[in-house]
Amino acid sequence: MKRENFSEWFNQILEKAGILDIRYPVKGLYVWLPYGMKIRECVIKIIKEILENHGHEEVLFPLLIPEDFLRKESEHIRGFEEQVYWVTRGGSKELNVKLALRPTSETAIYPIVSLWIKSHKDLPLKIYQIVNVFRYETKHTRPLIRLREITTFKEAHTFHRTFEEAEAQVKEAIEIYKKFFDRIAIPYLINKRPDWDKFPGAIYTIAFDTIFPDGKSLQIATIHNLGQNFSKPFNIKYEKVDGNFEYVYQTCYGISDRVIASIIAIHGDDRGLILLPEISPYQIVIIPIIYKESRQKVLNKAWKIYNLLKEKYKIYIDLREDETPGSKFYYWEMKGIPIRIEIGPRDVDEGVVTIFRRDKMERIKVRDEDLENTLKDMMNDIYKNLRERAWKFLEENVVRIFRIEDIREGYINEISLCGKDSCGRYIEEKTGLRVLGEAIEKKEDGYCLVCKERTDKIYRVAKSY
Ligand code: PR8
């Protein structure tokens, strides 16, 4: 079902695993449920840790942006004009200055940062925030994937003395996202977007794209080199060592709820979610198999194991007596808990427990004294297995193509292209697919499929979300 009817599978999992309620009566807006919030928290914790380790500090800017701020950079507003929600009234009074719900926060942040930055000593400055943003999307909206309220928008903004420093920051941002996606076992391809598809106001955009089970690509992160395009209209200047003033050079980069969509879509299966130990609300669930006569001894052992493991793992003991063990198994499999420990009366007598791992759907018996070591190895192995499986799927769906007529929907096609806009546009028109951009970590000698010029550039083409 995941493969054949991905959209339906995805929406069902969101509901059945308790991630989102998708019945909110405004298009493109959804309700986060308790279990979904716990997963979201785990993911946020990882990205925060990585950003902080790379010298970024968290800030929080207002949601509302005055119209004149939003309009300061002309390309930016041209790109976002049709996506902005406006607040025009306070109660029954018309506002003197219209206020935009931020579609992203450049134009909220930069006027204020221009007051912070005075000298070269204030640079580099690296800040980030995790907020909701609103975009009036006109393409088909989907939970977590194409939202009108992006609820988990992590945006980083950096300010530098020179163009070279901003370039180095783009490289650092690539490393940051590699670390992040590796940690959550999401495979990616890194593409420099064609000029016509870059972020409004940027010099260029680099994107991380992944592939979904239906063969469509999804942009899961973007990094933009803004040059001085924003610092000039927003007047962000610093005093150089020699006493002259110069506009700063900037980058910004962001991820969204799509990260969580990817975790669900890429790791999950027909039984539900499959979570990595690090992002699972519980890493282990203990299920005592309770019968009247042996109730006490089973519960004693279950609590003993719980106490033994609770310092090391996020662990939950499912004591519900109005549910059968079978329905509990099904329930926690749907929720993607990496490991379940089953304890029955016979296990108590024999000094063993049964361990079940969700990613491989395998059950083994382990002696009590081996339990801790087995769990430790298994947690690592689950991460390794999910990561390998996910990368394998991506790699199997990337195809090297040598003729335009062989470009296929459902795959990421790699082709030789010279890089001229006209050649890229031609491919998009001819195939109905999207040119994701130039592979930044791959070169190969060949001839542009359109104009036949020599080139070593590889471009990726796919149907995308
Ligand atoms: C910026 N400014 O805004 P970006 N639903 C879910 N996720 C989305 C949606 C949507 N409607 N639109 C975009 N994304 C820059 C960088 C501050 C931070 C996700 O960049 O417009 C996509 O994964 O490219 C995208 O890569 C990311 O947000 C950043 O958005």
Side-chain angles (χ1 to χ4, degrees):
M1 167 134 175
K2 173 175 154 183
R3 294 277 144 84
E4 298 79 58
N5 194 345
F6 171 72
S7 281
E8 200 186 318
W9 173 87
F10 187 71
N11 286 354
Q12 275 187 18
I13 299 278
L14 293 178
E15 185 198 320
K16 286 194 185 156
I19 294 170
L20 290 187
D21 192 323
I22 62 175
R23 294 172 298 181
Y24 195 74
V26 180
K27 191 172 149 68
L29 275 56
Y30 307 92
V31 178
W32 278 96
L33 296 171
Y35 193 71
M37 284 299 282
K38 290 194 177 80
I39 297 172
R40 183 177 178 269
E41 258 334 291
C42 293
V43 174
I44 289 176
K45 190 166 162 236
I46 298 175
I47 188 66
K48 275 191 168 183
E49 180 200 305
I50 298 175
L51 286 170
E52 303 266 343
N53 285 342
H54 281 265
H56 299 64
E57 288 190 299
E58 190 172 15
V59 292
L60 185 55
F61 276 74
L63 166 65
L64 299 176
I65 307 177
E67 182 173 16
D68 46 329
F69 280 22
L70 190 74
R71 294 201 182 280
K72 271 211 164 112
E73 205 289 320
S74 58
E75 259 190 53
H76 187 69
I77 184 59
R78 219 178 306 132
F80 278 106
E81 186 96 70
E82 289 305 312
Q83 294 193 26
V84 178
Y85 285 90
W86 289 103
V87 176
T88 59
R89 289 212 319 242
S92 57
K93 266 213 203 98
E94 289 292 325
L95 297 178
N96 292 335
V97 180
K98 279 207 289 181
L99 299 169
L101 295 185
R102 61 183 161 218
T104 167
S105 306
E106 284 72 11
T107 59
I109 294 177
Y110 300 167
I112 300 304
V113 168
S114 77
L115 308 173
W116 297 348
I117 293 175
K118 300 268 180 269
S119 107
H120 59 90
K121 291 182 208 145
D122 300 323
L123 299 171
L125 175 66
K126 302 194 240 178
I127 54 178
Y128 75 97
Q129 60 178 10
I130 301 175
V131 293
N132 59 344
V133 299
F134 289 83
R135 292 184 182 181
Y136 186 76
E137 295 279 0
T138 46
K139 275 172 95 178
H140 184 58
T141 53
R142 286 167 195 278
L144 301 178
I145 295 173
R146 179 160 284 101
L147 298 162
R148 286 189 172 171
E149 181 187 9
I150 308 173
T151 67
T152 320
F153 191 67
K154 189 288 298 166
E155 49 178 326
H157 298 268
T158 73
F159 308 83
H160 307 271
R161 297 177 196 187
T162 62
F163 182 75
E164 290 68 34
E165 282 180 26
E167 282 287 275
Q169 190 59 38
V170 166
K171 296 212 167 73
E172 181 177 59
I174 293 174
E175 290 315 307
I176 286 171
Y177 286 147
K178 278 187 179 173
K179 268 189 207 165
F180 174 62
F181 288 114
D182 288 343
R183 197 90 165 248
I184 59 173
I186 296 300
Y188 48 79
L189 297 167
I190 308 173
N191 301 309
K192 185 172 179 191
R193 287 278 183 265
D195 251 7
W196 69 81
D197 197 19
K198 64 187 187 190
F199 180 69
I203 305 179
Y204 66 83
T205 289
I206 289 180
F208 280 57
D209 294 301
T210 193
I211 187 164
F212 263 34
D214 56 3
K216 284 202 226 164
S217 72
L218 181 72
Q219 170 178 302
I220 48 174
T222 33
I223 301 160
H224 314 292
N225 188 332
L226 304 179
Q228 293 176 313
N229 290 354
F230 285 84
S231 63
K232 286 182 176 165
F234 285 98
N235 199 28
I236 317 178
K237 271 195 260 186
Y238 74 98
E239 188 177 0
K240 299 207 285 188
V241 186
D242 64 12
N244 290 321
F245 285 86
E246 164 137 72
Y247 292 106
V248 299
Y249 293 80
Q250 292 174 249
T251 80
C252 67
Y253 31 102
I255 55 174
S256 76
D257 309 52
R258 286 183 182 178
V259 169
I260 295 161
S262 307
I263 290 168
I264 297 167
I266 292 173
H267 296 153
D269 67 9
D270 284 353
R271 285 178 176 260
L273 294 181
I274 301 181
L275 294 173
L276 290 173
E278 197 177 4
I279 46 187
S280 189
Y282 309 112
Q283 295 162 316
I284 301 170
V285 167
I286 300 178
I287 302 188
I289 317 283
I290 297 170
Y291 300 99
K292 249 201 211 117
E293 332 65 77
S294 50
R295 187 169 183 279
Q296 207 46 52
K297 73 174 178 187
V298 165
L299 282 178
N300 286 347
K301 179 160 182 176
W303 280 113
K304 205 172 141 203
I305 290 177
Y306 176 87
N307 287 322
L308 174 77
L309 300 175
K310 71 171 192 238
E311 305 296 332
K312 283 209 185 104
Y313 298 104
K314 292 177 278 179
I315 183 162
Y316 184 84
I317 176 163
D318 188 345
L319 295 170
R320 290 175 296 170
E321 296 205 13
D322 52 352
E323 292 287 346
T324 62
S327 66
K328 289 183 186 178
F329 295 169
Y330 176 82
Y331 177 84
W332 293 111
E333 280 165 24
M334 170 60 75
K335 290 200 178 277
I337 300 300
I339 294 175
R340 144 176 116 221
I341 299 179
E342 302 162 16
I343 303 167
R346 226 201 277 155
D347 296 328
V348 181
D349 299 338
E350 291 172 6
V352 298
V353 293
T354 302
I355 304 185
F356 168 85
R357 64 184 272 191
R358 174 68 179 87
D359 61 324
K360 290 191 168 165
M361 297 296 286
E362 276 173 8
R363 241 196 192 91
I364 53 166
K365 285 222 186 268
V366 181
R367 298 212 54 78
D368 291 348
E369 57 273 26
D370 298 331
L371 179 62
E372 281 185 88
N373 283 336
T374 308
L375 288 173
K376 192 166 155 235
D377 293 344
M378 200 178 270
M379 292 289 178
N380 291 331
D381 200 58
I382 290 171
Y383 168 76
K384 230 178 106 219
N385 178 45
L386 285 177
R387 187 166 162 192
E388 277 170 15
R389 202 149 91 182
W391 273 98
K392 185 162 171 275
F393 180 76
L394 178 121
E395 279 154 12
E396 282 169 1
N397 286 281
V398 176
V399 287
R400 180 76 175 95
I401 296 289
F402 298 94
R403 298 189 315 176
I404 295 176
E405 54 274 32
D406 292 341
I407 294 176
R408 288 180 265 174
E409 192 177 321
Y411 293 86
I412 293 182
N413 300 267
E414 293 189 336
I415 60 173
S416 295
L417 271 190
C418 65
K420 283 197 294 287
D421 270 10
S422 54
C423 294
R425 295 268 198 196
Y426 180 85
I427 294 286
E428 288 199 344
E429 264 165 44
K430 215 54 194 167
T431 61
L433 305 183
R434 179 164 161 210
V435 173
L436 301 179
E438 183 187 348
I440 64 163
E441 293 174 311
K442 195 169 191 173
K443 297 247 180 273
E444 202 180 298
D445 281 325
Y447 296 90
C448 175
L449 282 200
V450 182
C451 72
K452 313 292 179 220
E453 248 174 49
R454 259 201 107 85
T455 179
D456 63 354
K457 295 188 174 115
I458 295 289
Y459 273 71
R460 300 202 172 103
V461 179
K463 183 156 176 91
S464 72
Y465 273 99

